[in-house]
Structure formats: structure tokens, C-alpha cells
Amino acid sequence: MALEDSILRFKEQFDWHPEIQHQEALKAHKNVIIVGMGGSHLGPWMLKRYVGGQNIFIHRDYGLPDLPEETLKEALIILSSYSGGTEEVLDAGRVAMEKGYSIAAISRGGKLIDFAKEHALPHIVVPDMHMQPRVAIGVSMLGIAKLMMSQVMEDAVRSAGQSIDPVAGREEGMRLAESLRGKIPVIYASSVNMPLSFIWKIKLNESVKI
């Protein structure tokens, strides 16, 4: 799907209601560690900044984050890979499995869902909406909120997403795009809004090829 079409249909993502497979294996937790690379870490980053709290950790690497053993034991480790084949995420899953930590997964399919099924792990299969992972932020946020067992968070994400009107913002977006033609934009923001500025950067780098 073209980027413009993905943007215009963005709010459709928030009509999705995720379902957890092997939900009976989902354990209570004090902390949440979300392992994801590229577009798969953007949704979790938004949750941490705008909806979540200090108990959410985001890991973008092989293995597991350098946290106290007690924190890891009390955590739900969510493996997030839109494609299901992200090497770093699969590696983190193997390490967490060896150590006996609590694990869940969210993906469109691939090796990650195979791994979750093989070990009867709680997991959510994301619908294929024919868009790039860096655009599928809505379904990522909803699915992770569901795995965190936070109805309040899931409702907040859905309400915020459904309030967006991409069509109404199209004209302003076109004016902004025209003003950037032939230039190299520099994007900066407060620390609170860092995820938004990073998302802009990704769109310009990967989609527009600036």
C-alpha cells in the first residue's frame, strides 16, 4: 500500500480488537520489557511516553537488557516483530526461554509465531493490512496493551486513534510537503515528544528517501 493510502486509512487500525492465543499462560507481572527493532519499537515507545510508565522498558538489541535479575523475573517480556523474522527479537526469545522468564509475542506471522506456538506462549497475530511496519503503529499499540492486560491502556489507545482525521489534515500536509521540497529538514522536539520526531525522521528517510 502506498504511504499516502496508509496515512488516509490510518484510523482503520483502531477498529481492530486483538485476541490472545494461549491466554491462560499469560502471567501477572510488575514490569514489561518490549523487544523490537525498527518499526516494531515505535508503538511501544509511544505507549511508554504517552500512556505507560516507568515499568515499561524497550530493548532494541540481541539478548535481554542489562537489568537486575529481580526486574527480569518480575517482567513480561513481549517479543515484537511485524514480519516475525527479526533476528534480534528471536535471539531475545531464545535467551528468555533458557532463563525461564515470562514471554509473550506479537507478530504478523513468521518464525516468531512459530516459536510462540511451539512453546505454547501467549501471542497475538496482527492482521496483514498491507502496510510497512513503520506505519502499523496502531495495531502494534493495541496488541501490546492487550498483552499487558491493561484495558485502560487499550481503551485510551483506541479512543485516541479513532479521534484522528487524516483526511482533514491532508491539505495542511501537502502544504508542509511543498515547503520541504528540495531541502533537508531538521526535526527537533522536547524529550516527551521524541517518539513523534523520530517517526517523522523515519518517514522522511525511508519513505521519501531524503
Side-chain angles (χ1 to χ4, degrees), residues 15-206:
D15 295 331
W16 175 59
H17 290 266
E19 296 183 4
I20 303 175
Q21 305 299 318
H22 293 298
Q23 184 168 355
E24 71 283 354
L26 197 57
K27 301 175 183 177
H29 54 272
K30 291 184 179 180
N31 310 302
V32 178
I33 299 169
I34 304 166
V35 184
M37 304 293 293
S40 295
H41 97 280
L42 298 178
W45 200 5
M46 296 278 282
L47 286 178
K48 178 176 175 65
R49 288 288 184 177
Y50 301 115
V51 191
Q54 296 300 313
N55 67 327
I56 298 178
F57 302 90
I58 299 173
H59 184 61
R60 299 167 59 197
D61 205 342
Y62 292 91
L64 296 174
D66 185 16
L67 294 169
E69 181 68 16
E70 194 65 25
T71 301
L72 293 167
K73 285 182 177 179
E74 294 177 342
L76 172 64
I77 299 171
I78 299 178
L79 309 173
S80 175
S81 168
Y82 190 72
S83 67
T86 307
E87 185 176 314
E88 294 89 341
V89 176
L90 294 170
D91 181 71
R94 288 190 289 268
V95 173
M97 180 65 65
E98 290 171 1
K99 293 183 174 293
Y101 296 147
S102 180
I103 310 170
I106 176 170
S107 176
R108 193 178 58 183
K111 293 181 180 179
L112 181 55
I113 294 302
D114 291 342
F115 176 78
K117 289 179 178 178
E118 178 185 352
H119 299 285
L121 301 176
H123 64 275
I124 290 176
V125 178
V126 175
D128 186 359
M129 303 185 76
H130 306 290
M131 61 180 62
Q132 295 292 332
R134 58 185 178 271
V135 184
I137 297 173
V139 291
S140 173
M141 295 173 73
L142 286 172
I144 288 171
K146 187 76 171 183
L147 288 172
M148 290 174 62
M149 298 185 286
S150 175
Q151 190 63 51
V152 171
M153 181 180 289
E154 186 179 345
D155 290 345
V157 170
R158 193 180 310 282
S159 176
Q162 291 177 337
S163 70
I164 296 171
D165 188 352
V167 176
R170 186 178 186 278
E171 185 175 337
E172 182 179 354
M174 294 295 287
R175 286 198 300 270
L176 177 59
E178 187 60 37
S179 71
L180 294 177
R181 185 189 296 273
K183 300 175 182 177
I184 299 177
V186 177
I187 302 167
Y188 62 95
S190 64
S191 58
V192 171
N193 289 319
M194 189 183 298
L196 293 178
S197 62
F198 192 81
I199 289 169
W200 273 44
K201 170 183 176 290
I202 288 176
K203 300 296 188 291
L204 291 166
N205 289 168
E206 297 193 28

